[in-house]
Amino acid sequence: MQQKNAIDEVMRFNKKSKIVVLTGAGISSESGIRTFRDSDGLWENHRIDDVATYNAFVTNPAVVWSFYKERWLQSNMVSPNKGHNALVQLENHYQDKFTLVTQNVDGLHSKAGSKNVLEMHGSLHRCYCTKCRAKMAMASVNMDAEIPNCPSCGGKLRPDIVWFGEIPYYLYEIENALKCCDIFILIGSSGMVYPAAGFVMTAKLMGAKTICVNLDKPDNLSFFDEFHQGKSGDILPSLVAGWIG
Ligand SMILES: [Zn+2]
């Protein structure tokens, strides 16, 4: 408890603290978003390899598009929860010293009002042209087409999702933020799956305080100074209230 109080003091009284938050599927599932891990790597009978790889897209783009259209529609129907809202408060307090990195693609952080969000695995709300690389909002694309085409060049569009085997976005920006952050907070993730495991290690090695908020105890618990067990929607609001004083 003494350690926890000391960290709270730093956060409450030092507005110069730089914060990096990494969120995972847990915070989205509390809003009703389903994930691959909900059922042994299957999502409504789709295997990851059949819908979430570039190879799947090349082999059967109609199946991949059908899957992502459905996920996009689902993401439009769900709302941010109290956990998302608490992170908006944290950002409002720390302003440009706050960086939110998310592995989620549902756009719920932005919907809640978070501004500095790095969507490292892309977004269900965007797609891009495989020919001219133009990016565009899903909402601006004709979804009646089995495989939507680029309005500029006619090329095949693909969801702006970082698929398995592809390189996540913003790795340079994330690395820089981790190296100079004072506090690293992992939310809604077990922390063992790449890249979360690497992020906490980098932050810890560079001297940051490390905090985990998750339903289950992380496998790499030793890398965290604090672990708060529970749903982020239940416990983040009071944690954030304590952190910002
Ligand atoms: Zn194009």
Side-chain angles (χ1 to χ4, degrees), residues 45-237:
N45 299 320
H46 291 295
R47 286 167 57 239
I48 287 175
D49 287 350
D50 293 339
V51 288
T53 63
Y54 182 70
N55 192 44
F57 178 70
V58 171
T59 311
N60 206 338
V63 169
V64 171
W65 260 114
S66 152
F67 177 74
Y68 282 97
K69 281 177 197 172
E70 202 179 308
R71 290 189 66 191
W72 173 64
L73 290 171
Q74 188 204 7
S75 74
N76 284 332
M77 288 187 291
V78 297
S79 302
N81 60 61
K82 287 177 183 171
H84 295 103
N85 296 337
L87 291 178
V88 176
Q89 279 188 295
L90 198 58
E91 179 171 19
N92 288 342
H93 188 76
Y94 286 98
Q95 309 255 328
D96 58 355
K97 289 180 287 299
F98 175 91
T99 304
L100 177 52
V101 182
T102 186
Q103 297 173 288
N104 302 330
V105 294
D106 46 56
L108 284 174
H109 285 301
S110 301
K111 207 173 190 178
S114 289
K115 294 179 194 78
N116 189 17
V117 187
L118 300 178
E119 294 176 311
M120 62 182 299
H121 290 162
S123 172
L124 288 170
H125 300 276
R126 282 190 313 268
C127 54
Y128 68 89
C129 177
T130 54
K131 199 170 163 192
C132 75
R133 317 302 285 183
K135 287 205 181 197
M136 59 206 79
M138 282 286 205
S140 71
V141 170
N142 174 18
M143 286 294 175
D144 294 335
E146 203 174 40
I147 304 160
N149 286 322
C150 174
S152 312
C153 77
K156 207 181 279 177
L157 295 176
R158 62 163 275 182
D160 190 12
I161 297 288
V162 176
W163 283 324
F164 290 90
E166 296 183 321
I167 299 167
Y169 293 150
Y170 306 114
L171 288 182
Y172 178 77
E173 289 85 350
I174 294 168
E175 178 86 1
N176 278 344
L178 289 170
K179 280 181 178 167
C180 65
C181 75
D182 301 297
I183 295 150
F184 172 81
I185 309 170
L186 174 68
I187 299 167
S189 167
S190 63
M192 261 320 272
V193 179
Y194 176 85
F199 288 0
V200 65
M201 279 187 247
T202 301
K204 182 81 178 162
L205 290 171
M206 299 304 285
K209 300 291 179 192
T210 53
I211 300 170
C212 177
V213 178
N214 196 39
L215 208 47
D216 304 310
K217 200 175 272 186
D219 294 333
N220 54 350
L221 187 63
S222 61
F223 279 100
F224 290 97
D225 298 309
E226 286 183 36
F227 170 56
H228 301 275
Q229 189 158 24
K231 288 185 175 181
S232 50
D234 292 339
I235 63 176
L236 251 192

